[in-house]
Amino acid sequence: QVKLVESGGGSVQAGESLTLSCAVSGYSHNFGCMAWFRQAPGKEREGVVRIGRDGSTDYADSVKGRFTISKDNAKRILYLQMNSLQPEDTAVYYCAANDLTCSLRSGLFDAWGQGTQVTVSS
């Protein structure tokens, strides 16, 4: 089965940066859409950003200008560079992939990582 594994989370102070990675292992399709989601305690899962096969991106307004998604297709690794982190960015971050319409609706994704915790202190 396809396995997505996030890494790079941690605890930082407001204004600092982190870069998350999502490695695809085992058998996998050539996913046309990969994305990052996040979920804070007591909150619904929120789409952060997606990237299509052609490199097109779609960022949530809350992270636009601060976060950057990229991928290494050869190594099958997805990245999320997070700059100027704020306390409201505190959440478990998940990577996801699908071969369906590339949007930030979580129901469209059938492959998920286990999540990595990002905590931003003020």
Side-chain angles (χ1 to χ4, degrees), residues 17 32 35 39 42 52-53 94 97 104 106 119:
S17 299
Q39 187 167 22
R53 182 181 290 107
Y94 301 88
L104 284 174
S106 62
T119 302

Side-chain angles (χ1 to χ4, degrees), residues 46-94:
E46 172 190 23
V48 177
V49 59
R50 60 86 172 170
I51 184 167
R53 182 181 290 107
D54 62 355
S56 63
T57 57
D58 185 18
Y59 292 86
D61 289 341
S62 59
V63 306
K64 196 171 299 181
R66 298 188 298 120
F67 290 12
T68 303
I69 191 171
S70 62
K71 60 180 179 177
D72 185 327
N73 288 326
K75 295 183 177 180
R76 298 198 297 179
I77 300 176
L78 181 73
Y79 301 97
L80 182 65
Q81 180 181 317
M82 305 183 295
N83 297 327
S84 302
L85 284 163
Q86 301 298 315
E88 55 264 35
D89 297 315
T90 295
V92 177
Y93 283 71
Y94 301 88

Side-chain angles (χ1 to χ4, degrees), residues 8-18 85-86 90 118-122:
S11 182
V12 300
Q13 294 184 329
E16 296 182 341
S17 299
L18 283 173
L85 284 163
Q86 301 298 315
T90 295
V118 173
T119 302
V120 185
S121 301
S122 61

